[in-house]
Amino acid sequence: MSQPVDNKVTILVLQHPQEQDRVLGTAGLLAGALSNAKVVVGLSWRNLAHAAGAPAEPRSWGVLYLGSTQTKAPAKGQAPLVAVDSKGAALADQEAARAGLRGLIALDGNWAQAKALWWRNAWLTKLRRFVVVPDGPSLYGDLRREARPDAVSTLEAVALSLQVLEGDVAVREKLLAPFRALLAKARLEGVRDSKRDRRVRR
């Protein structure tokens, strides 16, 4: 197994309880591939510090916002991580919007589950908002059905985000490597995304 990526921006994944049993879920892969990442499972937390399990200043944290199906790709030469305002419009000064960012939250689950996490945690609205604009479809392909054609896995979204925030194009591929391996194994074995069987074997 390769060495974890030594990321400077903390990644905190808020995982919906129904997502933790998905066979092809990516939160576990993500946490294992980063030296500074944490996955917490639940539906709601009192505030950012409660979710992070440590003191944290909301002003220096961001969240990967759900965005809109109408989100347009950034202009040529611009980053695929777009800082937006409360109405979803791209901010004029993207560099300033990323300055001093210490942590980034990703909501892990399907579209409905991610929306539930967003609405149940009002403190998320105090964080900087970012939208990931993918440069292609998810690597999942037909292994997992997504509610939107522009949807990507949590790992893919974070990989794109860290590529921008860490200023290192290699970060993305380092994070995608274990995901590609998981999908290749799944296709070889004819596995599609489903719930893990949690029944206790006797």
Side-chain angles (χ1 to χ4, degrees):
M1 184 177 178
S2 60
Q3 287 291 107
V5 173
D6 188 20
N7 55 307
K8 299 179 182 65
V9 176
T10 300
I11 297 298
L12 176 61
V13 179
L14 303 185
Q15 185 178 65
H16 192 282
Q18 293 179 9
E19 179 67 17
Q20 61 182 325
D21 295 325
R22 304 304 298 192
V23 173
L24 298 180
T26 64
L29 285 179
L30 183 60
L34 293 172
S35 63
N36 188 12
K38 181 180 181 179
V39 179
V40 292
V41 181
L43 290 173
S44 61
W45 296 265
R46 293 189 302 274
N47 49 42
L48 172 60
H50 182 212
E57 175 54 60
R59 288 178 298 179
S60 61
W61 277 69
V63 58
L64 291 181
Y65 185 56
L66 302 177
S68 164
T69 54
Q70 301 304 313
T71 300
K72 302 298 183 182
K76 186 176 181 180
Q78 288 186 327
L81 181 67
V82 182
V84 299
D85 62 20
S86 60
K87 295 182 180 180
L91 297 177
D93 192 339
Q94 291 289 309
E95 186 173 347
R98 297 193 300 267
L101 192 70
R102 299 181 63 85
L104 185 67
I105 289 177
L107 307 180
D108 188 51
N110 63 28
W111 186 244
Q113 291 164 356
K115 285 199 297 184
L117 289 172
W118 175 263
W119 291 114
R120 289 176 68 101
N121 294 277
W123 53 269
L124 287 171
T125 62
K126 299 178 181 179
L127 311 184
R128 309 183 201 183
R129 301 185 191 190
F130 296 92
V131 173
V132 169
V133 183
D135 53 4
S138 172
L139 294 177
Y140 270 132
D142 60 356
L143 291 181
R144 181 166 182 173
R145 183 177 299 176
E146 300 289 354
R148 293 168 28 173
D150 59 340
V152 294
S153 69
T154 300
L155 184 146
E156 290 170 292
V158 171
L160 264 175
S161 301
L162 285 180
Q163 173 183 304
V164 176
L165 297 174
E166 304 282 322
D168 183 358
V169 295
V171 166
R172 183 184 183 189
E173 280 306 313
K174 288 178 182 178
L175 293 182
L176 290 180
F179 186 38
R180 293 184 195 278
L182 173 69
L183 298 180
K185 185 173 185 291
R187 290 190 171 97
L188 184 65
E189 298 176 353
V191 175
R192 294 179 65 86
D193 195 47
S194 61
K195 290 273 191 176
R196 288 191 181 89
D197 187 349
R198 301 187 69 186
R199 291 175 296 181
V200 177
R201 294 185 179 181
R202 297 181 183 275

mmCIF file with all atom_site columns, all heavy atoms in Angstrom, residues 1-26:
data_model
loop_
_atom_site.group_PDB
_atom_site.id
_atom_site.type_symbol
_atom_site.label_atom_id
_atom_site.label_alt_id
_atom_site.label_comp_id
_atom_site.label_asym_id
_atom_site.label_entity_id
_atom_site.label_seq_id
_atom_site.pdbx_PDB_ins_code
_atom_site.Cartn_x
_atom_site.Cartn_y
_atom_site.Cartn_z
_atom_site.occupancy
_atom_site.B_iso_or_equiv
_atom_site.pdbx_formal_charge
_atom_site.auth_seq_id
_atom_site.auth_comp_id
_atom_site.auth_asym_id
_atom_site.auth_atom_id
_atom_site.pdbx_PDB_model_num
ATOM 1   N N   . MET A 1 1  ? 0.851   -1.205 0.000  1.00 0.00 ? 1  MET A N   1
ATOM 2   C CA  . MET A 1 1  ? 0.000   0.000  0.000  1.00 0.00 ? 1  MET A CA  1
ATOM 3   C C   . MET A 1 1  ? 0.884   1.250  0.000  1.00 0.00 ? 1  MET A C   1
ATOM 4   O O   . MET A 1 1  ? 1.871   1.323  0.728  1.00 0.00 ? 1  MET A O   1
ATOM 5   C CB  . MET A 1 1  ? -0.913  0.003  1.228  1.00 0.00 ? 1  MET A CB  1
ATOM 6   C CG  . MET A 1 1  ? -1.900  1.149  1.262  1.00 0.00 ? 1  MET A CG  1
ATOM 7   S SD  . MET A 1 1  ? -2.997  1.005  2.697  1.00 0.00 ? 1  MET A SD  1
ATOM 8   C CE  . MET A 1 1  ? -3.979  2.482  2.486  1.00 0.00 ? 1  MET A CE  1
ATOM 9   N N   . SER A 1 2  ? 0.564   2.223  -0.818 1.00 0.00 ? 2  SER A N   1
ATOM 10  C CA  . SER A 1 2  ? 1.357   3.439  -0.909 1.00 0.00 ? 2  SER A CA  1
ATOM 11  C C   . SER A 1 2  ? 1.173   4.303  0.324  1.00 0.00 ? 2  SER A C   1
ATOM 12  O O   . SER A 1 2  ? 0.205   4.164  1.072  1.00 0.00 ? 2  SER A O   1
ATOM 13  C CB  . SER A 1 2  ? 0.959   4.222  -2.164 1.00 0.00 ? 2  SER A CB  1
ATOM 14  O OG  . SER A 1 2  ? -0.410  4.571  -2.110 1.00 0.00 ? 2  SER A OG  1
ATOM 15  N N   . GLN A 1 3  ? 2.130   5.212  0.525  1.00 0.00 ? 3  GLN A N   1
ATOM 16  C CA  . GLN A 1 3  ? 2.068   6.113  1.664  1.00 0.00 ? 3  GLN A CA  1
ATOM 17  C C   . GLN A 1 3  ? 0.896   7.080  1.526  1.00 0.00 ? 3  GLN A C   1
ATOM 18  O O   . GLN A 1 3  ? 0.606   7.549  0.421  1.00 0.00 ? 3  GLN A O   1
ATOM 19  C CB  . GLN A 1 3  ? 3.367   6.896  1.764  1.00 0.00 ? 3  GLN A CB  1
ATOM 20  C CG  . GLN A 1 3  ? 4.550   6.078  2.264  1.00 0.00 ? 3  GLN A CG  1
ATOM 21  C CD  . GLN A 1 3  ? 4.392   5.695  3.707  1.00 0.00 ? 3  GLN A CD  1
ATOM 22  O OE1 . GLN A 1 3  ? 4.120   4.536  4.013  1.00 0.00 ? 3  GLN A OE1 1
ATOM 23  N NE2 . GLN A 1 3  ? 4.560   6.631  4.601  1.00 0.00 ? 3  GLN A NE2 1
ATOM 24  N N   . PRO A 1 4  ? 0.216   7.397  2.633  1.00 0.00 ? 4  PRO A N   1
ATOM 25  C CA  . PRO A 1 4  ? -0.886  8.359  2.576  1.00 0.00 ? 4  PRO A CA  1
ATOM 26  C C   . PRO A 1 4  ? -0.411  9.724  2.096  1.00 0.00 ? 4  PRO A C   1
ATOM 27  O O   . PRO A 1 4  ? 0.734   10.111 2.336  1.00 0.00 ? 4  PRO A O   1
ATOM 28  C CB  . PRO A 1 4  ? -1.376  8.422  4.024  1.00 0.00 ? 4  PRO A CB  1
ATOM 29  C CG  . PRO A 1 4  ? -0.932  7.136  4.640  1.00 0.00 ? 4  PRO A CG  1
ATOM 30  C CD  . PRO A 1 4  ? 0.383   6.829  3.985  1.00 0.00 ? 4  PRO A CD  1
ATOM 31  N N   . VAL A 1 5  ? -1.263  10.445 1.419  1.00 0.00 ? 5  VAL A N   1
ATOM 32  C CA  . VAL A 1 5  ? -0.963  11.803 0.979  1.00 0.00 ? 5  VAL A CA  1
ATOM 33  C C   . VAL A 1 5  ? -0.945  12.711 2.196  1.00 0.00 ? 5  VAL A C   1
ATOM 34  O O   . VAL A 1 5  ? -1.865  12.698 3.015  1.00 0.00 ? 5  VAL A O   1
ATOM 35  C CB  . VAL A 1 5  ? -2.033  12.301 -0.023 1.00 0.00 ? 5  VAL A CB  1
ATOM 36  C CG1 . VAL A 1 5  ? -1.805  13.778 -0.353 1.00 0.00 ? 5  VAL A CG1 1
ATOM 37  C CG2 . VAL A 1 5  ? -2.009  11.458 -1.282 1.00 0.00 ? 5  VAL A CG2 1
ATOM 38  N N   . ASP A 1 6  ? 0.110   13.486 2.341  1.00 0.00 ? 6  ASP A N   1
ATOM 39  C CA  . ASP A 1 6  ? 0.266   14.371 3.494  1.00 0.00 ? 6  ASP A CA  1
ATOM 40  C C   . ASP A 1 6  ? -0.444  15.696 3.211  1.00 0.00 ? 6  ASP A C   1
ATOM 41  O O   . ASP A 1 6  ? 0.199   16.699 2.902  1.00 0.00 ? 6  ASP A O   1
ATOM 42  C CB  . ASP A 1 6  ? 1.751   14.589 3.789  1.00 0.00 ? 6  ASP A CB  1
ATOM 43  C CG  . ASP A 1 6  ? 1.978   15.344 5.088  1.00 0.00 ? 6  ASP A CG  1
ATOM 44  O OD1 . ASP A 1 6  ? 1.059   15.363 5.923  1.00 0.00 ? 6  ASP A OD1 1
ATOM 45  O OD2 . ASP A 1 6  ? 3.070   15.915 5.262  1.00 0.00 ? 6  ASP A OD2 1
ATOM 46  N N   . ASN A 1 7  ? -1.750  15.695 3.322  1.00 0.00 ? 7  ASN A N   1
ATOM 47  C CA  . ASN A 1 7  ? -2.538  16.896 3.007  1.00 0.00 ? 7  ASN A CA  1
ATOM 48  C C   . ASN A 1 7  ? -2.513  17.921 4.129  1.00 0.00 ? 7  ASN A C   1
ATOM 49  O O   . ASN A 1 7  ? -2.573  17.581 5.310  1.00 0.00 ? 7  ASN A O   1
ATOM 50  C CB  . ASN A 1 7  ? -3.993  16.520 2.703  1.00 0.00 ? 7  ASN A CB  1
ATOM 51  C CG  . ASN A 1 7  ? -4.652  15.714 3.811  1.00 0.00 ? 7  ASN A CG  1
ATOM 52  O OD1 . ASN A 1 7  ? -4.127  14.690 4.251  1.00 0.00 ? 7  ASN A OD1 1
ATOM 53  N ND2 . ASN A 1 7  ? -5.811  16.174 4.259  1.00 0.00 ? 7  ASN A ND2 1
ATOM 54  N N   . LYS A 1 8  ? -2.395  19.185 3.736  1.00 0.00 ? 8  LYS A N   1
ATOM 55  C CA  . LYS A 1 8  ? -2.366  20.289 4.704  1.00 0.00 ? 8  LYS A CA  1
ATOM 56  C C   . LYS A 1 8  ? -3.772  20.714 5.100  1.00 0.00 ? 8  LYS A C   1
ATOM 57  O O   . LYS A 1 8  ? -4.026  21.078 6.248  1.00 0.00 ? 8  LYS A O   1
ATOM 58  C CB  . LYS A 1 8  ? -1.606  21.475 4.109  1.00 0.00 ? 8  LYS A CB  1
ATOM 59  C CG  . LYS A 1 8  ? -0.148  21.178 3.760  1.00 0.00 ? 8  LYS A CG  1
ATOM 60  C CD  . LYS A 1 8  ? 0.511   22.396 3.151  1.00 0.00 ? 8  LYS A CD  1
ATOM 61  C CE  . LYS A 1 8  ? 1.957   22.089 2.746  1.00 0.00 ? 8  LYS A CE  1
ATOM 62  N NZ  . LYS A 1 8  ? 2.013   21.068 1.659  1.00 0.00 ? 8  LYS A NZ  1
ATOM 63  N N   . VAL A 1 9  ? -4.705  20.702 4.146  1.00 0.00 ? 9  VAL A N   1
ATOM 64  C CA  . VAL A 1 9  ? -6.095  21.069 4.430  1.00 0.00 ? 9  VAL A CA  1
ATOM 65  C C   . VAL A 1 9  ? -6.810  19.833 4.992  1.00 0.00 ? 9  VAL A C   1
ATOM 66  O O   . VAL A 1 9  ? -6.889  18.793 4.337  1.00 0.00 ? 9  VAL A O   1
ATOM 67  C CB  . VAL A 1 9  ? -6.816  21.559 3.158  1.00 0.00 ? 9  VAL A CB  1
ATOM 68  C CG1 . VAL A 1 9  ? -8.285  21.854 3.450  1.00 0.00 ? 9  VAL A CG1 1
ATOM 69  C CG2 . VAL A 1 9  ? -6.125  22.804 2.605  1.00 0.00 ? 9  VAL A CG2 1
ATOM 70  N N   . THR A 1 10 ? -7.309  19.943 6.197  1.00 0.00 ? 10 THR A N   1
ATOM 71  C CA  . THR A 1 10 ? -8.005  18.831 6.840  1.00 0.00 ? 10 THR A CA  1
ATOM 72  C C   . THR A 1 10 ? -9.278  18.476 6.074  1.00 0.00 ? 10 THR A C   1
ATOM 73  O O   . THR A 1 10 ? -10.037 19.355 5.672  1.00 0.00 ? 10 THR A O   1
ATOM 74  C CB  . THR A 1 10 ? -8.376  19.194 8.286  1.00 0.00 ? 10 THR A CB  1
ATOM 75  O OG1 . THR A 1 10 ? -7.194  19.491 9.019  1.00 0.00 ? 10 THR A OG1 1
ATOM 76  C CG2 . THR A 1 10 ? -9.120  18.053 8.968  1.00 0.00 ? 10 THR A CG2 1
ATOM 77  N N   . ILE A 1 11 ? -9.503  17.185 5.889  1.00 0.00 ? 11 ILE A N   1
ATOM 78  C CA  . ILE A 1 11 ? -10.733 16.725 5.245  1.00 0.00 ? 11 ILE A CA  1
ATOM 79  C C   . ILE A 1 11 ? -11.607 16.039 6.294  1.00 0.00 ? 11 ILE A C   1
ATOM 80  O O   . ILE A 1 11 ? -11.166 15.103 6.973  1.00 0.00 ? 11 ILE A O   1
ATOM 81  C CB  . ILE A 1 11 ? -10.438 15.741 4.096  1.00 0.00 ? 11 ILE A CB  1
ATOM 82  C CG1 . ILE A 1 11 ? -9.628  16.425 3.000  1.00 0.00 ? 11 ILE A CG1 1
ATOM 83  C CG2 . ILE A 1 11 ? -11.743 15.167 3.534  1.00 0.00 ? 11 ILE A CG2 1
ATOM 84  C CD1 . ILE A 1 11 ? -10.326 17.610 2.331  1.00 0.00 ? 11 ILE A CD1 1
ATOM 85  N N   . LEU A 1 12 ? -12.822 16.515 6.434  1.00 0.00 ? 12 LEU A N   1
ATOM 86  C CA  . LEU A 1 12 ? -13.787 15.923 7.352  1.00 0.00 ? 12 LEU A CA  1
ATOM 87  C C   . LEU A 1 12 ? -14.983 15.437 6.536  1.00 0.00 ? 12 LEU A C   1
ATOM 88  O O   . LEU A 1 12 ? -15.637 16.229 5.862  1.00 0.00 ? 12 LEU A O   1
ATOM 89  C CB  . LEU A 1 12 ? -14.251 16.954 8.387  1.00 0.00 ? 12 LEU A CB  1
ATOM 90  C CG  . LEU A 1 12 ? -15.346 16.503 9.353  1.00 0.00 ? 12 LEU A CG  1
ATOM 91  C CD1 . LEU A 1 12 ? -14.887 15.315 10.196 1.00 0.00 ? 12 LEU A CD1 1
ATOM 92  C CD2 . LEU A 1 12 ? -15.770 17.659 10.262 1.00 0.00 ? 12 LEU A CD2 1
ATOM 93  N N   . VAL A 1 13 ? -15.229 14.139 6.572  1.00 0.00 ? 13 VAL A N   1
ATOM 94  C CA  . VAL A 1 13 ? -16.350 13.559 5.833  1.00 0.00 ? 13 VAL A CA  1
ATOM 95  C C   . VAL A 1 13 ? -17.505 13.299 6.794  1.00 0.00 ? 13 VAL A C   1
ATOM 96  O O   . VAL A 1 13 ? -17.338 12.558 7.770  1.00 0.00 ? 13 VAL A O   1
ATOM 97  C CB  . VAL A 1 13 ? -15.944 12.237 5.145  1.00 0.00 ? 13 VAL A CB  1
ATOM 98  C CG1 . VAL A 1 13 ? -17.135 11.637 4.399  1.00 0.00 ? 13 VAL A CG1 1
ATOM 99  C CG2 . VAL A 1 13 ? -14.783 12.475 4.187  1.00 0.00 ? 13 VAL A CG2 1
ATOM 100 N N   . LEU A 1 14 ? -18.644 13.909 6.526  1.00 0.00 ? 14 LEU A N   1
ATOM 101 C CA  . LEU A 1 14 ? -19.853 13.635 7.288  1.00 0.00 ? 14 LEU A CA  1
ATOM 102 C C   . LEU A 1 14 ? -20.632 12.580 6.500  1.00 0.00 ? 14 LEU A C   1
ATOM 103 O O   . LEU A 1 14 ? -21.132 12.856 5.410  1.00 0.00 ? 14 LEU A O   1
ATOM 104 C CB  . LEU A 1 14 ? -20.697 14.899 7.449  1.00 0.00 ? 14 LEU A CB  1
ATOM 105 C CG  . LEU A 1 14 ? -20.014 16.105 8.103  1.00 0.00 ? 14 LEU A CG  1
ATOM 106 C CD1 . LEU A 1 14 ? -21.022 17.234 8.293  1.00 0.00 ? 14 LEU A CD1 1
ATOM 107 C CD2 . LEU A 1 14 ? -19.371 15.725 9.431  1.00 0.00 ? 14 LEU A CD2 1
ATOM 108 N N   . GLN A 1 15 ? -20.686 11.388 7.058  1.00 0.00 ? 15 GLN A N   1
ATOM 109 C CA  . GLN A 1 15 ? -21.281 10.275 6.325  1.00 0.00 ? 15 GLN A CA  1
ATOM 110 C C   . GLN A 1 15 ? -22.669 9.931  6.850  1.00 0.00 ? 15 GLN A C   1
ATOM 111 O O   . GLN A 1 15 ? -22.869 9.744  8.046  1.00 0.00 ? 15 GLN A O   1
ATOM 112 C CB  . GLN A 1 15 ? -20.383 9.040  6.424  1.00 0.00 ? 15 GLN A CB  1
ATOM 113 C CG  . GLN A 1 15 ? -20.846 7.858  5.595  1.00 0.00 ? 15 GLN A CG  1
ATOM 114 C CD  . GLN A 1 15 ? -19.903 6.678  5.694  1.00 0.00 ? 15 GLN A CD  1
ATOM 115 O OE1 . GLN A 1 15 ? -19.748 6.087  6.756  1.00 0.00 ? 15 GLN A OE1 1
ATOM 116 N NE2 . GLN A 1 15 ? -19.254 6.342  4.576  1.00 0.00 ? 15 GLN A NE2 1
ATOM 117 N N   . HIS A 1 16 ? -23.620 9.855  5.929  1.00 0.00 ? 16 HIS A N   1
ATOM 118 C CA  . HIS A 1 16 ? -24.979 9.450  6.288  1.00 0.00 ? 16 HIS A CA  1
ATOM 119 C C   . HIS A 1 16 ? -24.927 7.996  6.753  1.00 0.00 ? 16 HIS A C   1
ATOM 120 O O   . HIS A 1 16 ? -24.229 7.174  6.147  1.00 0.00 ? 16 HIS A O   1
ATOM 121 C CB  . HIS A 1 16 ? -25.896 9.597  5.075  1.00 0.00 ? 16 HIS A CB  1
ATOM 122 C CG  . HIS A 1 16 ? -27.343 9.486  5.395  1.00 0.00 ? 16 HIS A CG  1
ATOM 123 N ND1 . HIS A 1 16 ? -27.962 8.270  5.617  1.00 0.00 ? 16 HIS A ND1 1
ATOM 124 C CD2 . HIS A 1 16 ? -28.313 10.440 5.533  1.00 0.00 ? 16 HIS A CD2 1
ATOM 125 C CE1 . HIS A 1 16 ? -29.242 8.468  5.867  1.00 0.00 ? 16 HIS A CE1 1
ATOM 126 N NE2 . HIS A 1 16 ? -29.481 9.776  5.837  1.00 0.00 ? 16 HIS A NE2 1
ATOM 127 N N   . PRO A 1 17 ? -25.652 7.638  7.827  1.00 0.00 ? 17 PRO A N   1
ATOM 128 C CA  . PRO A 1 17 ? -25.618 6.267  8.340  1.00 0.00 ? 17 PRO A CA  1
ATOM 129 C C   . PRO A 1 17 ? -25.931 5.195  7.294  1.00 0.00 ? 17 PRO A C   1
ATOM 130 O O   . PRO A 1 17 ? -25.378 4.088  7.349  1.00 0.00 ? 17 PRO A O   1
ATOM 131 C CB  . PRO A 1 17 ? -26.681 6.275  9.449  1.00 0.00 ? 17 PRO A CB  1
ATOM 132 C CG  . PRO A 1 17 ? -26.714 7.695  9.914  1.00 0.00 ? 17 PRO A CG  1
ATOM 133 C CD  . PRO A 1 17 ? -26.504 8.513  8.669  1.00 0.00 ? 17 PRO A CD  1
ATOM 134 N N   . GLN A 1 18 ? -26.784 5.501  6.334  1.00 0.00 ? 18 GLN A N   1
ATOM 135 C CA  . GLN A 1 18 ? -27.149 4.509  5.332  1.00 0.00 ? 18 GLN A CA  1
ATOM 136 C C   . GLN A 1 18 ? -26.075 4.324  4.262  1.00 0.00 ? 18 GLN A C   1
ATOM 137 O O   . GLN A 1 18 ? -26.160 3.408  3.444  1.00 0.00 ? 18 GLN A O   1
ATOM 138 C CB  . GLN A 1 18 ? -28.481 4.890  4.683  1.00 0.00 ? 18 GLN A CB  1
ATOM 139 C CG  . GLN A 1 18 ? -29.657 4.812  5.641  1.00 0.00 ? 18 GLN A CG  1
ATOM 140 C CD  . GLN A 1 18 ? -30.966 5.207  4.990  1.00 0.00 ? 18 GLN A CD  1
ATOM 141 O OE1 . GLN A 1 18 ? -31.054 5.384  3.782  1.00 0.00 ? 18 GLN A OE1 1
ATOM 142 N NE2 . GLN A 1 18 ? -31.997 5.354  5.798  1.00 0.00 ? 18 GLN A NE2 1
ATOM 143 N N   . GLU A 1 19 ? -25.069 5.191  4.278  1.00 0.00 ? 19 GLU A N   1
ATOM 144 C CA  . GLU A 1 19 ? -23.997 5.092  3.288  1.00 0.00 ? 19 GLU A CA  1
ATOM 145 C C   . GLU A 1 19 ? -22.847 4.203  3.766  1.00 0.00 ? 19 GLU A C   1
ATOM 146 O O   . GLU A 1 19 ? -22.093 3.665  2.954  1.00 0.00 ? 19 GLU A O   1
ATOM 147 C CB  . GLU A 1 19 ? -23.453 6.488  2.957  1.00 0.00 ? 19 GLU A CB  1
ATOM 148 C CG  . GLU A 1 19 ? -22.312 6.530  1.948  1.00 0.00 ? 19 GLU A CG  1
ATOM 149 C CD  . GLU A 1 19 ? -22.695 6.107  0.536  1.00 0.00 ? 19 GLU A CD  1
ATOM 150 O OE1 . GLU A 1 19 ? -23.911 6.079  0.240  1.00 0.00 ? 19 GLU A OE1 1
ATOM 151 O OE2 . GLU A 1 19 ? -21.792 5.814  -0.259 1.00 0.00 ? 19 GLU A OE2 1
ATOM 152 N N   . GLN A 1 20 ? -22.726 4.022  5.065  1.00 0.00 ? 20 GLN A N   1
ATOM 153 C CA  . GLN A 1 20 ? -21.550 3.319  5.592  1.00 0.00 ? 20 GLN A CA  1
ATOM 154 C C   . GLN A 1 20 ? -21.488 1.842  5.195  1.00 0.00 ? 20 GLN A C   1
ATOM 155 O O   . GLN A 1 20 ? -20.429 1.227  5.257  1.00 0.00 ? 20 GLN A O   1
ATOM 156 C CB  . GLN A 1 20 ? -21.503 3.440  7.120  1.00 0.00 ? 20 GLN A CB  1
ATOM 157 C CG  . GLN A 1 20 ? -22.693 2.839  7.843  1.00 0.00 ? 20 GLN A CG  1
ATOM 158 C CD  . GLN A 1 20 ? -22.606 3.025  9.346  1.00 0.00 ? 20 GLN A CD  1
ATOM 159 O OE1 . GLN A 1 20 ? -21.522 2.996  9.934  1.00 0.00 ? 20 GLN A OE1 1
ATOM 160 N NE2 . GLN A 1 20 ? -23.746 3.244  9.984  1.00 0.00 ? 20 GLN A NE2 1
ATOM 161 N N   . ASP A 1 21 ? -22.615 1.269  4.764  1.00 0.00 ? 21 ASP A N   1
ATOM 162 C CA  . ASP A 1 21 ? -22.629 -0.145 4.387  1.00 0.00 ? 21 ASP A CA  1
ATOM 163 C C   . ASP A 1 21 ? -22.540 -0.370 2.881  1.00 0.00 ? 21 ASP A C   1
ATOM 164 O O   . ASP A 1 21 ? -22.676 -1.501 2.420  1.00 0.00 ? 21 ASP A O   1
ATOM 165 C CB  . ASP A 1 21 ? -23.894 -0.824 4.924  1.00 0.00 ? 21 ASP A CB  1
ATOM 166 C CG  . ASP A 1 21 ? -23.920 -0.840 6.443  1.00 0.00 ? 21 ASP A CG  1
ATOM 167 O OD1 . ASP A 1 21 ? -22.840 -0.974 7.043  1.00 0.00 ? 21 ASP A OD1 1
ATOM 168 O OD2 . ASP A 1 21 ? -25.005 -0.708 7.029  1.00 0.00 ? 21 ASP A OD2 1
ATOM 169 N N   . ARG A 1 22 ? -22.328 0.684  2.112  1.00 0.00 ? 22 ARG A N   1
ATOM 170 C CA  . ARG A 1 22 ? -22.245 0.512  0.664  1.00 0.00 ? 22 ARG A CA  1
ATOM 171 C C   . ARG A 1 22 ? -20.947 -0.210 0.287  1.00 0.00 ? 22 ARG A C   1
ATOM 172 O O   . ARG A 1 22 ? -19.859 0.149  0.734  1.00 0.00 ? 22 ARG A O   1
ATOM 173 C CB  . ARG A 1 22 ? -22.294 1.851  -0.063 1.00 0.00 ? 22 ARG A CB  1
ATOM 174 C CG  . ARG A 1 22 ? -23.489 2.720  0.233  1.00 0.00 ? 22 ARG A CG  1
ATOM 175 C CD  . ARG A 1 22 ? -24.810 2.060  -0.025 1.00 0.00 ? 22 ARG A CD  1
ATOM 176 N NE  . ARG A 1 22 ? -25.026 1.680  -1.418 1.00 0.00 ? 22 ARG A NE  1
ATOM 177 C CZ  . ARG A 1 22 ? -26.215 1.297  -1.901 1.00 0.00 ? 22 ARG A CZ  1
ATOM 178 N NH1 . ARG A 1 22 ? -27.273 1.250  -1.103 1.00 0.00 ? 22 ARG A NH1 1
ATOM 179 N NH2 . ARG A 1 22 ? -26.337 0.955  -3.167 1.00 0.00 ? 22 ARG A NH2 1
ATOM 180 N N   . VAL A 1 23 ? -21.078 -1.216 -0.533 1.00 0.00 ? 23 VAL A N   1
ATOM 181 C CA  . VAL A 1 23 ? -19.921 -2.024 -0.942 1.00 0.00 ? 23 VAL A CA  1
ATOM 182 C C   . VAL A 1 23 ? -18.874 -1.179 -1.660 1.00 0.00 ? 23 VAL A C   1
ATOM 183 O O   . VAL A 1 23 ? -17.671 -1.349 -1.459 1.00 0.00 ? 23 VAL A O   1
ATOM 184 C CB  . VAL A 1 23 ? -20.385 -3.185 -1.848 1.00 0.00 ? 23 VAL A CB  1
ATOM 185 C CG1 . VAL A 1 23 ? -19.186 -3.931 -2.423 1.00 0.00 ? 23 VAL A CG1 1
ATOM 186 C CG2 . VAL A 1 23 ? -21.264 -4.146 -1.063 1.00 0.00 ? 23 VAL A CG2 1
ATOM 187 N N   . LEU A 1 24 ? -19.340 -0.258 -2.509 1.00 0.00 ? 24 LEU A N   1
ATOM 188 C CA  . LEU A 1 24 ? -18.408 0.553  -3.295 1.00 0.00 ? 24 LEU A CA  1
ATOM 189 C C   . LEU A 1 24 ? -18.329 2.002  -2.796 1.00 0.00 ? 24 LEU A C   1
ATOM 190 O O   . LEU A 1 24 ? -18.019 2.907  -3.549 1.00 0.00 ? 24 LEU A O   1
ATOM 191 C CB  . LEU A 1 24 ? -18.809 0.526  -4.776 1.00 0.00 ? 24 LEU A CB  1
ATOM 192 C CG  . LEU A 1 24 ? -18.780 -0.858 -5.444 1.00 0.00 ? 24 LEU A CG  1
ATOM 193 C CD1 . LEU A 1 24 ? -19.187 -0.759 -6.899 1.00 0.00 ? 24 LEU A CD1 1
ATOM 194 C CD2 . LEU A 1 24 ? -17.393 -1.491 -5.324 1.00 0.00 ? 24 LEU A CD2 1
ATOM 195 N N   . GLY A 1 25 ? -18.591 2.197  -1.516 1.00 0.00 ? 25 GLY A N   1
ATOM 196 C CA  . GLY A 1 25 ? -18.458 3.533  -0.942 1.00 0.00 ? 25 GLY A CA  1
ATOM 197 C C   . GLY A 1 25 ? -16.993 3.958  -0.915 1.00 0.00 ? 25 GLY A C   1
ATOM 198 O O   . GLY A 1 25 ? -16.091 3.120  -0.918 1.00 0.00 ? 25 GLY A O   1
ATOM 199 N N   . THR A 1 26 ? -16.751 5.264  -0.886 1.00 0.00 ? 26 THR A N   1
ATOM 200 C CA  . THR A 1 26 ? -15.372 5.749  -1.007 1.00 0.00 ? 26 THR A CA  1
ATOM 201 C C   . THR A 1 26 ? -14.824 6.445  0.233  1.00 0.00 ? 26 THR A C   1
ATOM 202 O O   . THR A 1 26 ? -13.645 6.786  0.270  1.00 0.00 ? 26 THR A O   1
ATOM 203 C CB  . THR A 1 26 ? -15.244 6.726  -2.197 1.00 0.00 ? 26 THR A CB  1
ATOM 204 O OG1 . THR A 1 26 ? -16.057 7.887  -1.947 1.00 0.00 ? 26 THR A OG1 1
ATOM 205 C CG2 . THR A 1 26 ? -15.677 6.063  -3.494 1.00 0.00 ? 26 THR A CG2 1
#
